[in-house]
Amino acid sequence: VQLQAFGGGLVHSGGSLRLSCAAAGSFLEINGMGWYRQAPGKQRELVAAITSLSGTTYADSVKGRFTISRDNAKNTAYLQMNNLKPEDTAVYYCNFVGFETTTRPFDSWGQGTLVTVSS
């Protein structure tokens, strides 16, 4: 399963961006979808995740500013990022988990998209 992420860029502090991540290939179902980020010199961290039943979880640092959603018909996850701060600057990665067949799970990562927030 291949993931393609879109939507990164340069934005001023307080601005907004919307990331998208679409899955392609052969699979039976996608269960969890998540967004992670990795800033220079730091470990990759979970930003937000959404289950197949649309249950969501967020890092404390983005609660109230970021919203994760999914469109199952398009096999796509979104991350709406509002009120961006310089500390949100990072490479953002999407991650989907699910099943290719009834007995073969998958855990796929997108290529990463750079978000830069200027102060």
Side-chain angles (χ1 to χ4, degrees):
V1 179
Q2 299 82 42
L3 303 186
Q4 185 76 40
F6 303 93
L10 173 63
V11 64
H12 291 299
S13 182
S16 298
L17 283 174
R18 188 192 195 206
L19 305 183
S20 302
C21 181
S26 177
F27 49 88
L28 186 62
E29 62 183 17
I30 302 172
N31 299 129
M33 296 177 170
W35 288 96
Y36 292 73
R37 67 186 180 187
Q38 187 166 19
K42 295 188 176 181
Q43 290 189 328
R44 190 173 297 189
E45 63 175 354
L46 175 68
V47 176
I50 185 167
T51 69
S52 58
L53 298 179
S54 294
T56 58
T57 186
Y58 295 93
D60 288 343
S61 60
V62 307
K63 284 180 181 177
R65 300 188 297 122
F66 291 10
T67 302
I68 188 170
S69 60
R70 61 189 289 166
D71 184 334
N72 293 326
K74 297 181 178 179
N75 300 313
T76 299
Y78 304 96
L79 185 68
Q80 177 66 43
M81 305 185 293
N82 297 328
N83 191 22
L84 282 160
K85 303 176 180 181
E87 51 263 43
D88 294 318
T89 295
V91 177
Y92 284 70
Y93 299 89
C94 54
N95 171 247
F96 290 3
V97 295
F99 285 87
E100 293 181 348
T101 69
T102 55
T103 57
R104 187 163 67 238
F106 73 85
D107 183 346
S108 295
W109 290 85
Q111 82 282 10
T113 184
L114 177 62
V115 172
T116 303
V117 184
S118 63
S119 57

PDB file of all heavy atoms in Angstrom, residues 74-98:
ATOM      1  N   LYS A  74     -12.490   7.865  -0.461  1.00  0.00           N
ATOM      2  CA  LYS A  74     -11.292   8.291  -1.195  1.00  0.00           C
ATOM      3  C   LYS A  74     -10.010   7.717  -0.597  1.00  0.00           C
ATOM      4  O   LYS A  74      -8.921   8.041  -1.071  1.00  0.00           O
ATOM      5  CB  LYS A  74     -11.211   9.819  -1.223  1.00  0.00           C
ATOM      6  CG  LYS A  74     -12.363  10.484  -1.962  1.00  0.00           C
ATOM      7  CD  LYS A  74     -12.204  11.999  -1.969  1.00  0.00           C
ATOM      8  CE  LYS A  74     -13.330  12.663  -2.744  1.00  0.00           C
ATOM      9  NZ  LYS A  74     -13.199  14.152  -2.750  1.00  0.00           N
ATOM     10  N   ASN A  75     -10.144   6.913   0.462  1.00  0.00           N
ATOM     11  CA  ASN A  75      -8.968   6.345   1.130  1.00  0.00           C
ATOM     12  C   ASN A  75      -7.967   7.430   1.498  1.00  0.00           C
ATOM     13  O   ASN A  75      -6.753   7.294   1.297  1.00  0.00           O
ATOM     14  CB  ASN A  75      -8.297   5.288   0.241  1.00  0.00           C
ATOM     15  CG  ASN A  75      -9.223   4.146  -0.097  1.00  0.00           C
ATOM     16  OD1 ASN A  75      -9.903   3.603   0.777  1.00  0.00           O
ATOM     17  ND2 ASN A  75      -9.281   3.782  -1.376  1.00  0.00           N
ATOM     18  N   THR A  76      -8.486   8.505   2.040  1.00  0.00           N
ATOM     19  CA  THR A  76      -7.689   9.697   2.294  1.00  0.00           C
ATOM     20  C   THR A  76      -7.880  10.190   3.723  1.00  0.00           C
ATOM     21  O   THR A  76      -8.999  10.153   4.244  1.00  0.00           O
ATOM     22  CB  THR A  76      -8.057  10.807   1.303  1.00  0.00           C
ATOM     23  OG1 THR A  76      -7.782  10.352  -0.035  1.00  0.00           O
ATOM     24  CG2 THR A  76      -7.260  12.074   1.561  1.00  0.00           C
ATOM     25  N   ALA A  77      -6.778  10.644   4.308  1.00  0.00           N
ATOM     26  CA  ALA A  77      -6.811  11.306   5.602  1.00  0.00           C
ATOM     27  C   ALA A  77      -6.414  12.755   5.415  1.00  0.00           C
ATOM     28  O   ALA A  77      -5.638  13.090   4.511  1.00  0.00           O
ATOM     29  CB  ALA A  77      -5.857  10.619   6.575  1.00  0.00           C
ATOM     30  N   TYR A  78      -6.956  13.604   6.277  1.00  0.00           N
ATOM     31  CA  TYR A  78      -6.659  15.033   6.216  1.00  0.00           C
ATOM     32  C   TYR A  78      -6.192  15.504   7.591  1.00  0.00           C
ATOM     33  O   TYR A  78      -6.594  14.956   8.620  1.00  0.00           O
ATOM     34  CB  TYR A  78      -7.901  15.826   5.809  1.00  0.00           C
ATOM     35  CG  TYR A  78      -8.512  15.393   4.503  1.00  0.00           C
ATOM     36  CD1 TYR A  78      -9.576  14.494   4.484  1.00  0.00           C
ATOM     37  CD2 TYR A  78      -8.020  15.861   3.299  1.00  0.00           C
ATOM     38  CE1 TYR A  78     -10.137  14.078   3.294  1.00  0.00           C
ATOM     39  CE2 TYR A  78      -8.583  15.453   2.089  1.00  0.00           C
ATOM     40  CZ  TYR A  78      -9.640  14.566   2.096  1.00  0.00           C
ATOM     41  OH  TYR A  78     -10.186  14.167   0.901  1.00  0.00           O
ATOM     42  N   LEU A  79      -5.386  16.542   7.579  1.00  0.00           N
ATOM     43  CA  LEU A  79      -5.000  17.201   8.821  1.00  0.00           C
ATOM     44  C   LEU A  79      -5.144  18.700   8.591  1.00  0.00           C
ATOM     45  O   LEU A  79      -4.351  19.299   7.855  1.00  0.00           O
ATOM     46  CB  LEU A  79      -3.574  16.857   9.236  1.00  0.00           C
ATOM     47  CG  LEU A  79      -3.149  17.414  10.590  1.00  0.00           C
ATOM     48  CD1 LEU A  79      -3.939  16.719  11.715  1.00  0.00           C
ATOM     49  CD2 LEU A  79      -1.656  17.234  10.832  1.00  0.00           C
ATOM     50  N   GLN A  80      -6.185  19.273   9.180  1.00  0.00           N
ATOM     51  CA  GLN A  80      -6.386  20.715   9.108  1.00  0.00           C
ATOM     52  C   GLN A  80      -5.623  21.345  10.253  1.00  0.00           C
ATOM     53  O   GLN A  80      -5.877  21.022  11.411  1.00  0.00           O
ATOM     54  CB  GLN A  80      -7.877  21.049   9.207  1.00  0.00           C
ATOM     55  CG  GLN A  80      -8.172  22.537   9.207  1.00  0.00           C
ATOM     56  CD  GLN A  80      -7.827  23.201   7.882  1.00  0.00           C
ATOM     57  OE1 GLN A  80      -8.117  22.666   6.811  1.00  0.00           O
ATOM     58  NE2 GLN A  80      -7.216  24.372   7.951  1.00  0.00           N
ATOM     59  N   MET A  81      -4.707  22.222   9.921  1.00  0.00           N
ATOM     60  CA  MET A  81      -3.851  22.843  10.925  1.00  0.00           C
ATOM     61  C   MET A  81      -4.120  24.346  10.943  1.00  0.00           C
ATOM     62  O   MET A  81      -3.882  25.038   9.957  1.00  0.00           O
ATOM     63  CB  MET A  81      -2.373  22.576  10.605  1.00  0.00           C
ATOM     64  CG  MET A  81      -2.055  21.098  10.451  1.00  0.00           C
ATOM     65  SD  MET A  81      -0.298  20.768  10.205  1.00  0.00           S
ATOM     66  CE  MET A  81      -0.068  21.500   8.591  1.00  0.00           C
ATOM     67  N   ASN A  82      -4.645  24.823  12.059  1.00  0.00           N
ATOM     68  CA  ASN A  82      -4.950  26.244  12.218  1.00  0.00           C
ATOM     69  C   ASN A  82      -4.073  26.850  13.297  1.00  0.00           C
ATOM     70  O   ASN A  82      -3.520  26.137  14.143  1.00  0.00           O
ATOM     71  CB  ASN A  82      -6.423  26.423  12.587  1.00  0.00           C
ATOM     72  CG  ASN A  82      -7.358  25.935  11.511  1.00  0.00           C
ATOM     73  OD1 ASN A  82      -7.062  25.986  10.314  1.00  0.00           O
ATOM     74  ND2 ASN A  82      -8.530  25.440  11.927  1.00  0.00           N
ATOM     75  N   ASN A  83      -3.991  28.175  13.285  1.00  0.00           N
ATOM     76  CA  ASN A  83      -3.196  28.886  14.282  1.00  0.00           C
ATOM     77  C   ASN A  83      -1.798  28.259  14.430  1.00  0.00           C
ATOM     78  O   ASN A  83      -1.348  27.954  15.540  1.00  0.00           O
ATOM     79  CB  ASN A  83      -3.923  28.894  15.632  1.00  0.00           C
ATOM     80  CG  ASN A  83      -3.283  29.830  16.628  1.00  0.00           C
ATOM     81  OD1 ASN A  83      -2.572  30.763  16.259  1.00  0.00           O
ATOM     82  ND2 ASN A  83      -3.516  29.575  17.913  1.00  0.00           N
ATOM     83  N   LEU A  84      -1.144  28.087  13.305  1.00  0.00           N
ATOM     84  CA  LEU A  84       0.166  27.435  13.309  1.00  0.00           C
ATOM     85  C   LEU A  84       1.199  28.281  14.044  1.00  0.00           C
ATOM     86  O   LEU A  84       1.149  29.524  14.019  1.00  0.00           O
ATOM     87  CB  LEU A  84       0.614  27.162  11.879  1.00  0.00           C
ATOM     88  CG  LEU A  84      -0.052  25.943  11.232  1.00  0.00           C
ATOM     89  CD1 LEU A  84       0.034  26.011   9.720  1.00  0.00           C
ATOM     90  CD2 LEU A  84       0.577  24.665  11.762  1.00  0.00           C
ATOM     91  N   LYS A  85       2.111  27.598  14.694  1.00  0.00           N
ATOM     92  CA  LYS A  85       3.164  28.236  15.470  1.00  0.00           C
ATOM     93  C   LYS A  85       4.528  27.795  14.936  1.00  0.00           C
ATOM     94  O   LYS A  85       4.643  26.721  14.338  1.00  0.00           O
ATOM     95  CB  LYS A  85       3.038  27.827  16.937  1.00  0.00           C
ATOM     96  CG  LYS A  85       1.694  28.142  17.560  1.00  0.00           C
ATOM     97  CD  LYS A  85       1.617  27.613  18.986  1.00  0.00           C
ATOM     98  CE  LYS A  85       0.272  27.913  19.618  1.00  0.00           C
ATOM     99  NZ  LYS A  85       0.190  27.418  21.019  1.00  0.00           N
ATOM    100  N   PRO A  86       5.560  28.587  15.160  1.00  0.00           N
ATOM    101  CA  PRO A  86       6.895  28.178  14.679  1.00  0.00           C
ATOM    102  C   PRO A  86       7.300  26.795  15.171  1.00  0.00           C
ATOM    103  O   PRO A  86       8.000  26.055  14.449  1.00  0.00           O
ATOM    104  CB  PRO A  86       7.799  29.271  15.246  1.00  0.00           C
ATOM    105  CG  PRO A  86       6.919  30.472  15.313  1.00  0.00           C
ATOM    106  CD  PRO A  86       5.569  29.948  15.713  1.00  0.00           C
ATOM    107  N   GLU A  87       6.864  26.422  16.363  1.00  0.00           N
ATOM    108  CA  GLU A  87       7.232  25.101  16.892  1.00  0.00           C
ATOM    109  C   GLU A  87       6.511  23.958  16.185  1.00  0.00           C
ATOM    110  O   GLU A  87       6.801  22.788  16.451  1.00  0.00           O
ATOM    111  CB  GLU A  87       6.973  25.023  18.404  1.00  0.00           C
ATOM    112  CG  GLU A  87       5.592  25.449  18.823  1.00  0.00           C
ATOM    113  CD  GLU A  87       5.548  26.901  19.297  1.00  0.00           C
ATOM    114  OE1 GLU A  87       6.194  27.773  18.635  1.00  0.00           O
ATOM    115  OE2 GLU A  87       4.867  27.174  20.301  1.00  0.00           O
ATOM    116  N   ASP A  88       5.587  24.260  15.297  1.00  0.00           N
ATOM    117  CA  ASP A  88       4.943  23.230  14.477  1.00  0.00           C
ATOM    118  C   ASP A  88       5.787  22.882  13.249  1.00  0.00           C
ATOM    119  O   ASP A  88       5.456  21.944  12.518  1.00  0.00           O
ATOM    120  CB  ASP A  88       3.568  23.688  14.005  1.00  0.00           C
ATOM    121  CG  ASP A  88       2.581  23.866  15.143  1.00  0.00           C
ATOM    122  OD1 ASP A  88       2.563  23.005  16.048  1.00  0.00           O
ATOM    123  OD2 ASP A  88       1.833  24.864  15.125  1.00  0.00           O
ATOM    124  N   THR A  89       6.862  23.622  13.036  1.00  0.00           N
ATOM    125  CA  THR A  89       7.730  23.355  11.898  1.00  0.00           C
ATOM    126  C   THR A  89       8.330  21.964  11.999  1.00  0.00           C
ATOM    127  O   THR A  89       8.947  21.613  13.008  1.00  0.00           O
ATOM    128  CB  THR A  89       8.863  24.404  11.832  1.00  0.00           C
ATOM    129  OG1 THR A  89       8.293  25.691  11.575  1.00  0.00           O
ATOM    130  CG2 THR A  89       9.863  24.060  10.738  1.00  0.00           C
ATOM    131  N   ALA A  90       8.129  21.166  10.958  1.00  0.00           N
ATOM    132  CA  ALA A  90       8.589  19.777  10.960  1.00  0.00           C
ATOM    133  C   ALA A  90       8.258  19.142   9.616  1.00  0.00           C
ATOM    134  O   ALA A  90       7.517  19.717   8.810  1.00  0.00           O
ATOM    135  CB  ALA A  90       7.907  18.983  12.072  1.00  0.00           C
ATOM    136  N   VAL A  91       8.784  17.957   9.411  1.00  0.00           N
ATOM    137  CA  VAL A  91       8.323  17.115   8.315  1.00  0.00           C
ATOM    138  C   VAL A  91       7.179  16.277   8.855  1.00  0.00           C
ATOM    139  O   VAL A  91       7.319  15.620   9.891  1.00  0.00           O
ATOM    140  CB  VAL A  91       9.440  16.216   7.776  1.00  0.00           C
ATOM    141  CG1 VAL A  91       8.901  15.294   6.675  1.00  0.00           C
ATOM    142  CG2 VAL A  91      10.594  17.061   7.243  1.00  0.00           C
ATOM    143  N   TYR A  92       6.067  16.319   8.170  1.00  0.00           N
ATOM    144  CA  TYR A  92       4.877  15.592   8.586  1.00  0.00           C
ATOM    145  C   TYR A  92       4.721  14.326   7.749  1.00  0.00           C
ATOM    146  O   TYR A  92       4.794  14.379   6.515  1.00  0.00           O
ATOM    147  CB  TYR A  92       3.646  16.481   8.442  1.00  0.00           C
ATOM    148  CG  TYR A  92       3.548  17.519   9.537  1.00  0.00           C
ATOM    149  CD1 TYR A  92       4.441  18.595   9.593  1.00  0.00           C
ATOM    150  CD2 TYR A  92       2.573  17.429  10.537  1.00  0.00           C
ATOM    151  CE1 TYR A  92       4.374  19.536  10.608  1.00  0.00           C
ATOM    152  CE2 TYR A  92       2.496  18.377  11.556  1.00  0.00           C
ATOM    153  CZ  TYR A  92       3.396  19.419  11.576  1.00  0.00           C
ATOM    154  OH  TYR A  92       3.336  20.356  12.586  1.00  0.00           O
ATOM    155  N   TYR A  93       4.496  13.227   8.440  1.00  0.00           N
ATOM    156  CA  TYR A  93       4.347  11.922   7.800  1.00  0.00           C
ATOM    157  C   TYR A  93       2.963  11.351   8.100  1.00  0.00           C
ATOM    158  O   TYR A  93       2.487  11.438   9.232  1.00  0.00           O
ATOM    159  CB  TYR A  93       5.386  10.936   8.319  1.00  0.00           C
ATOM    160  CG  TYR A  93       6.815  11.327   8.072  1.00  0.00           C
ATOM    161  CD1 TYR A  93       7.511  12.102   8.991  1.00  0.00           C
ATOM    162  CD2 TYR A  93       7.478  10.908   6.921  1.00  0.00           C
ATOM    163  CE1 TYR A  93       8.836  12.452   8.771  1.00  0.00           C
ATOM    164  CE2 TYR A  93       8.802  11.247   6.698  1.00  0.00           C
ATOM    165  CZ  TYR A  93       9.463  12.027   7.626  1.00  0.00           C
ATOM    166  OH  TYR A  93      10.778  12.368   7.404  1.00  0.00           O
ATOM    167  N   CYS A  94       2.359  10.742   7.107  1.00  0.00           N
ATOM    168  CA  CYS A  94       1.115  10.016   7.354  1.00  0.00           C
ATOM    169  C   CYS A  94       1.420   8.519   7.491  1.00  0.00           C
ATOM    170  O   CYS A  94       2.397   8.018   6.929  1.00  0.00           O
ATOM    171  CB  CYS A  94       0.093  10.257   6.254  1.00  0.00           C
ATOM    172  SG  CYS A  94       0.654   9.926   4.576  1.00  0.00           S
ATOM    173  N   ASN A  95       0.588   7.866   8.243  1.00  0.00           N
ATOM    174  CA  ASN A  95       0.736   6.435   8.511  1.00  0.00           C
ATOM    175  C   ASN A  95      -0.630   5.788   8.517  1.00  0.00           C
ATOM    176  O   ASN A  95      -1.523   6.249   9.243  1.00  0.00           O
ATOM    177  CB  ASN A  95       1.431   6.235   9.858  1.00  0.00           C
ATOM    178  CG  ASN A  95       1.432   4.794  10.321  1.00  0.00           C
ATOM    179  OD1 ASN A  95       0.795   4.455  11.321  1.00  0.00           O
ATOM    180  ND2 ASN A  95       2.131   3.945   9.620  1.00  0.00           N
ATOM    181  N   PHE A  96      -0.805   4.757   7.709  1.00  0.00           N
ATOM    182  CA  PHE A  96      -2.062   4.004   7.675  1.00  0.00           C
ATOM    183  C   PHE A  96      -1.772   2.560   8.060  1.00  0.00           C
ATOM    184  O   PHE A  96      -0.766   1.973   7.634  1.00  0.00           O
ATOM    185  CB  PHE A  96      -2.665   3.985   6.268  1.00  0.00           C
ATOM    186  CG  PHE A  96      -3.204   5.292   5.765  1.00  0.00           C
ATOM    187  CD1 PHE A  96      -3.100   6.461   6.501  1.00  0.00           C
ATOM    188  CD2 PHE A  96      -3.845   5.351   4.531  1.00  0.00           C
ATOM    189  CE1 PHE A  96      -3.608   7.664   6.035  1.00  0.00           C
ATOM    190  CE2 PHE A  96      -4.350   6.536   4.043  1.00  0.00           C
ATOM    191  CZ  PHE A  96      -4.220   7.700   4.790  1.00  0.00           C
ATOM    192  N   VAL A  97      -2.679   1.957   8.801  1.00  0.00           N
ATOM    193  CA  VAL A  97      -2.588   0.536   9.123  1.00  0.00           C
ATOM    194  C   VAL A  97      -3.910  -0.123   8.745  1.00  0.00           C
ATOM    195  O   VAL A  97      -4.973   0.489   8.853  1.00  0.00           O
ATOM    196  CB  VAL A  97      -2.275   0.303  10.615  1.00  0.00           C
ATOM    197  CG1 VAL A  97      -0.894   0.837  10.957  1.00  0.00           C
ATOM    198  CG2 VAL A  97      -3.320   0.950  11.505  1.00  0.00           C
ATOM    199  N   GLY A  98      -3.824  -1.353   8.294  1.00  0.00           N
ATOM    200  CA  GLY A  98      -5.020  -2.066   7.889  1.00  0.00           C
ATOM    201  C   GLY A  98      -4.680  -3.456   7.420  1.00  0.00           C
ATOM    202  O   GLY A  98      -3.695  -4.050   7.890  1.00  0.00           O
TER     203      GLY A  98
END
